[in-house]
Amino acid sequence: MGKTGDRLAEEATLLDLAMREHLALRDEMNDARRQASNVITTALAAAAAASAAVGGGLFGTDLGTRGLLLLVIAAGTNGVGLWATGALNACKILELQIDKTAVAIRAIALENAPDAATPFLSFQLAVRGFTGRAMGLSDRGALAAWLSSYGLFAVLGALVVFLTLVLMLTGAWLVVVESQNLVLAGSLVLFFDIALAIGLGAAMWVSNLDEKHWKAFFYGPDSR
């Protein structure tokens, strides 16, 4: 009886620790997602308002000045997009560990549980499976459902990228073609914009890599 009691106490302690870690990781991931969502939606609204103000002549009628301001706004939206992509990529790493803690909890608490307990702590895996089916482009129904739910952030991100490209092209045209004295300053800002855009594209490419690559990045090449 003593050994059984010790084993149960040990299992209870492990279960408590695993559950605490699981919940802490979920809170951290959800907080990062909320921050990224708030920042990128605010940046989109601010960039749109600032662009409208520049286009309406609020900061003067000189086309070169307008173009330079548009390039500065584009740099800001590029920077926000880069930060948001980094935050979401960090969430991918958190998801990997969340899955591990869920597996540990299930192994401790549900080892001899009935089949009715199978769905316990499986929602995160189900969401990732749903996303995988949608991104695979083979299930149009799943893709439509994903874009209207979890994928709305991707749609919003695409809008930010589109807006940024329009700002960059318009600003570059106004500075280089229509300006007489801001070509050098505009070219420098445009170069900075392009560098940020390349960094954002690279971060987004890494973000879309398969899960096995993320496991190798975080846990090492020998992880499973």
Side-chain angles (χ1 to χ4, degrees), residues 38-62:
N38 291 337
V39 168
I40 200 167
T41 50
T42 301
L44 179 60
S51 302
V54 171
L58 185 62
F59 298 98
T61 58
D62 179 67

Side-chain angles (χ1 to χ4, degrees), residues 110 113-120:
L110 304 178
D115 292 339
T118 300
F120 183 66

